[in-house]
Structure formats: structure tokens, C-alpha cells
């Protein structure tokens, strides 16, 4: 799952850089307002990329990482539905 989030982050950030370069390297020669609009779109992408990269999936454990206490870990696993009741 981590690799998928990392891949999505780099795709989004690559698109952001591509928009900036394309806007001021090519598009500005024909239309400055279009280049500015492209930059505004590119400005929104980094926060979205950060949210995508830090999003946790349903299988990711982050709030209850194993604590080292077997009884507590067993209770959390039961609450998560990972282990059946005995």
C-alpha cells in the first residue's frame, strides 16, 4: 500500500512541475491568462498530493500499532476483526 501511495504522490507532483514548466515555457507565448490559470491549478496539486500520500488504507494499522502487551494487542485484533473470538 505504501508503494501505491508513493507512486500516486510522485505522479501528482510530476504533473505539478510539468504544468509550471509547460505554462511558462510554452503556453505564455500564446496566452498569459492561460499560463496563469495553469499555475493556479498547479498550486492546488501539492496539498492534494500530501493528503493522498498520507492517507491510510483500511488494512493499515496506525492508531493501534502492536504495543508489546500481548493482551492489549489481542483485544485490538479482536476489535479490528483480525482474529476470531476464542
Amino acid at each position: 500500500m505504501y508503494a501505491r501511495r508513493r507512486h500516486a504522490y510522485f505522479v501528482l507532483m510530476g504533473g505539478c512541475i510539468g504544468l509550471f514548466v509547460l505554462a511558462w515555457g510554452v503556453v505564455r507565448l500564446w496566452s498569459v491568462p492561460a499560463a496563469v490559470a495553469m499555475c493556479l491549478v498547479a498550486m492546488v496539486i501539492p496539498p492534494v498530493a500530501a493528503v493522498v500520500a498520507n492517507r491510510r488504507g483500511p488494512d493499515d494499522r496506525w492508531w493501534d500499532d502492536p504495543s508489546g502487551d500481548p493482551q492489549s494487542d489481542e483485544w485490538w485484533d479482536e476489535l479490528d476483526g483480525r482474529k476470531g473470538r476464542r
Side-chain angles (χ1 to χ4, degrees), residues 29-60:
L29 299 173
W30 288 278
S31 174
V32 172
V36 170
M38 289 173 68
C39 285
L40 290 174
V41 169
M43 182 178 68
V44 174
I45 293 174
V48 172
V51 168
V52 167
N54 290 310
R55 195 181 120 244
R56 300 290 181 184
D59 295 335
D60 293 340

Side-chain angles (χ1 to χ4, degrees), residues 66-84:
S67 63
D69 178 16
Q71 186 176 14
S72 175
D73 293 340
E74 184 178 329
W75 287 340
W76 278 112
D77 287 339
E78 183 178 329
L79 287 173
D80 288 342
R82 296 182 189 275
K83 292 181 180 176

